[in-house]
Structures are given as structure tokens and as C-alpha cells.
Amino acid sequence: IEVAPVKHAGSTSEGKALNIEEFATPGQKTIADLEKSTGVPANKLVKTLFYSASDTPKDLKPIAVLLLGSDELNPIKLKNLLGLTNPPLMLTDAEVKAASGAFPGSCGPVGLKIPIYMDQAVAGLSNFIVGANKDGFHIKNVNIDRDFKAIKTGDIRLARQGDPCPNCEGKYESHRGIEVGHVFYLGTKYSKMLKAEYLDDKGARFPIEMGCYGIGVTRTLQAAVEQSHDKDGIIWPLPLAPFAVHICLLDPGDSETAQVSEKIYQELGNKGVDIFVDDREERPGVKFKDADLLGMPLRIIIGQKGLKSGKLEVVERKTKAKHEVAPGDVVSFVNSWLEQEMKKSNAH
């Protein structure tokens, strides 16, 4: 069935309240569908979502939530508006049908017998379009208070890129991130079930106020790598590095080179420094490339050529700065460098 675009005088905050009209919208279940068929932009359409205003999944308390068609719900904001401990659960299609008389895509606030909550952006509209609570139909020229009443209005939309700042002339910026820790307030939900109580100064019993927190160790490492790397590989921050020092032993078959490497390894190890030694029979270029990829903070290059010249090369992974150090001074140089880097990390 082809439906001609609806000539709609409303979906604006201006003008006289018009009479409600129901119109057919067969197969139109999304805001994008409705926007295309009516010619009304998504930010002038209103969508109705259904949740349960209960902290217990088995205790169903259906509510309707109104948002602009262009907006998404922020479940944490809705949780706070409802005064719940956890974000509310969205109703299933069958539960929406039972609460409204229609399946999702054809639902609206008019005639609902359940509480209605509304985002503050919807409050500025008049003569707008909503679902008719009848599958395949919508209503236009709907107005707040005349056609339905919301029991509470608040900011429950998900902020998005470009939103104006409420406190200045700036714009909101959105960036992807990794959650490395969280804190949840649990209230007395579990302490009541467990009968975990305390006595106040008058001897009266009260359930303990509970909370929980979590720190993701692996997520912390992922976040560190995401923020600290270059085209060659990882750049480990010293406090998180698997090893502080990476020794590239270029001539493992040479006894003198191996002895110098072992001596430096033992002396640094005795001072509590974690060291990784690459003593593979590989070309220097391969070892250097792998060292960059692994990203340990400091690299010591030990080979026959360096020993003959009386200098070993120490390379900083982050800046790639190179230092030529006498073999006998390498341990003190490395210890001094690590101390300075740790002070910088602690200062941050």
C-alpha cells in the first residue's frame, strides 16, 4: 500500500492547537519511516518508549517515556528521574502491546493508562505526531495537557555531538572511551534481603547502605595502550610496563658480549628492575623492530661493535632519544633514568 505524505500543519511550538486526526501508516515502524512519509523532520516528531519503573524484574511497573524522534534515551538519567537503584528495563514487544494496545512503532501517549514521563525537549512542541496505540496508525495535532498529561518532565535524553553547553557558549564534544572503573550505589536493596543491619546510637536497627565498585585491570591496560602508542607499536608508561628494560643482545654466541649482558642483567635485577632479554639468533633489525612493537620504556643494545668502541646504546622508547653510555656506567644511568621517569609519573 502506498501512502501519500501527510500535509501536517503542526510539529512546532508555534500556532493554534489543531484537532486530533488519525491517519494510516502501514508498515511504518520507525521514526525514519514516519519522517519520510510525512515530510516532518525527526526533531519535530515524538517517539514513545516503554520501560518498567521497578528495581525488581519480576515486579512489572510499565511506564511510557516520550522523546523527540531525533533523540536517544539516557538510561542513567531516566533511572535518576525515577529514583531507581539501577537503570530501568525496557519492556518486551508483548508487554508493550499489553500496556498500550499496539506493538512498538505504533504507540503514543494518548489514551494510555500508565504513567507518562517526558523529556524537556518535547515540552516545547505542539500539534505533533505520535503513534495511535493501534497497529499501523498514527495521530497528528497532538498537544500536551489537552490530549495527555505527563507526571514528570526532565532531561532524560542522551547528549550528542554539537549540543550547546548550558553554562557557556561552547559545544558538546563526543569521544569514544573505555570504562576502566565504576561505582554503583546499591542502597538497602541487598542489605534488607540479607538482614545486614547496624545499630545507631540509640540502639535502633537499620539496614546498611551499600555500594560497590570495580576496577578493570585488563581495561586499564587497554586504555593505556590506546593512549600511548605510535606507528611502531606500544609505548608502555613505566608504572604499567611488563618490563622496565629491554636488553637487545646482538651477538649471543660471543662470550664477552654475553657476559656483559648477564652482568648488567644481574646488577639491575638486584636493584629491583624488571628486565627482558632478547637473546635470539636474529638479525639486529628484527630485534629492534620487535623491541619497538613490545614498547618497554628503555632499551639497552649490547653487541660486539659497541663493546669495541667502549659505548653501549641506551634508547628511550617514548622519545627514541639515544644515549651512548660506557658499559660500566649503564646500571647507574638506567637507575637514574627510571627514578626520574617514576617521579614524572607520580607527579601526574
Side-chain angles (χ1 to χ4, degrees):
I1 301 175
E2 191 170 316
V3 181
V6 177
K7 291 183 179 179
H8 178 57
S11 281
T12 174
S13 57
E14 301 175 357
K16 176 182 176 182
L18 304 176
N19 293 330
I20 263 188
E21 293 182 35
E22 183 182 284
F23 61 99
T25 52
Q28 298 175 34
K29 296 183 179 181
T30 68
I31 289 294
D33 292 337
L34 199 61
E35 184 179 29
K36 185 177 180 180
S37 69
T38 63
V40 177
N43 63 352
K44 299 297 182 182
L45 297 171
V46 174
K47 60 185 174 185
T48 308
L49 307 177
F50 292 83
Y51 288 84
S52 177
S54 171
D55 276 319
T56 307
K58 293 181 180 179
D59 181 21
L60 191 66
K61 294 180 180 178
I63 62 166
V65 179
L66 304 185
L67 292 167
L68 294 183
S70 56
D71 287 338
E72 298 297 329
L73 179 75
N74 185 321
I76 303 300
K77 289 182 178 179
L78 180 59
K79 170 189 78 87
N80 294 337
L81 186 72
L82 298 173
L84 299 178
T85 301
N86 296 306
L89 296 175
M90 182 175 273
L91 299 191
T92 65
D93 288 0
E95 290 167 341
V96 170
K97 176 78 171 179
S100 69
F103 285 108
S106 297
C107 302
V110 180
L112 287 181
K113 305 298 183 184
I114 60 176
I116 298 172
Y117 294 82
M118 186 168 65
D119 182 68
Q120 60 191 18
V122 178
L125 297 183
S126 63
N127 297 321
F128 50 85
I129 297 175
V130 297
N133 293 324
K134 184 168 141 183
D135 289 327
F137 287 87
H138 278 74
I139 301 173
K140 68 175 181 176
N141 300 331
V142 172
N143 287 274
I144 302 164
D145 291 333
R146 185 193 71 177
D147 301 315
F148 70 91
K149 294 185 182 295
I151 66 170
K152 190 173 283 190
T153 300
D155 174 19
I156 53 176
R157 67 186 286 275
L158 190 68
R160 62 174 182 265
Q161 183 86 15
D163 282 350
C165 172
N167 301 317
C168 67
E169 296 181 357
K171 298 288 186 180
Y172 175 76
E173 293 185 5
S174 177
H175 302 277
R176 288 184 63 83
I178 298 175
E179 180 190 30
V180 296
H182 59 238
V183 177
F184 291 121
Y185 171 66
L186 300 176
T188 59
K189 176 181 178 181
Y190 298 106
S191 57
K192 284 180 179 178
M193 290 190 290
L194 297 170
K195 297 189 179 345
E197 300 173 329
Y198 70 94
L199 299 177
D200 68 2
D201 55 357
K202 297 179 181 178
R205 290 182 174 274
F206 294 93
I208 295 170
E209 297 277 345
M210 294 179 62
C212 71
Y213 71 90
I215 298 175
V217 177
T218 55
R219 288 186 180 189
T220 301
L221 296 178
Q222 291 168 14
V225 172
E226 184 181 71
Q227 297 177 59
S228 185
H229 68 276
D230 61 16
K231 63 181 179 59
D232 296 317
I234 301 170
I235 303 174
W236 282 111
L238 182 56
L240 297 179
F243 299 92
V245 175
H246 184 142
I247 293 178
C248 285
L249 180 55
L250 302 187
D251 302 292
D254 178 67
S255 60
E256 182 184 1
T257 306
Q259 287 174 7
V260 172
S261 174
E262 181 65 20
K263 184 174 185 294
I264 292 173
Y265 175 84
Q266 291 294 340
E267 290 184 10
L268 285 174
N270 290 337
K271 293 183 179 295
V273 178
D274 292 322
I275 309 142
F276 176 81
V277 179
D278 183 354
D279 58 358
R280 296 174 297 166
E281 292 285 353
E282 278 287 1
R283 290 175 288 113
V286 173
K287 293 192 174 187
F288 297 159
K289 190 67 177 176
D290 288 346
D292 280 339
L293 180 65
L294 293 174
M296 309 312 169
L298 206 60
R299 182 195 317 167
I300 304 173
I301 301 171
I302 304 175
Q304 288 179 317
K305 184 178 178 180
L307 289 178
K308 286 179 181 179
S309 68
K311 298 289 184 180
L312 299 183
E313 192 171 82
V314 181
V315 183
E316 300 178 27
R317 175 62 183 91
K318 184 175 182 180
T319 65
K320 297 193 176 178
K322 297 178 181 179
H323 309 272
E324 290 189 343
V325 184
D329 298 331
V330 166
V331 172
S332 60
F333 176 87
V334 169
N335 279 325
S336 177
W337 188 90
L338 293 176
E339 287 177 6
Q340 292 300 318
E341 284 299 303
M342 192 58 75
K343 285 180 182 178
K344 292 178 186 178
S345 299
N346 293 337
H348 295 155

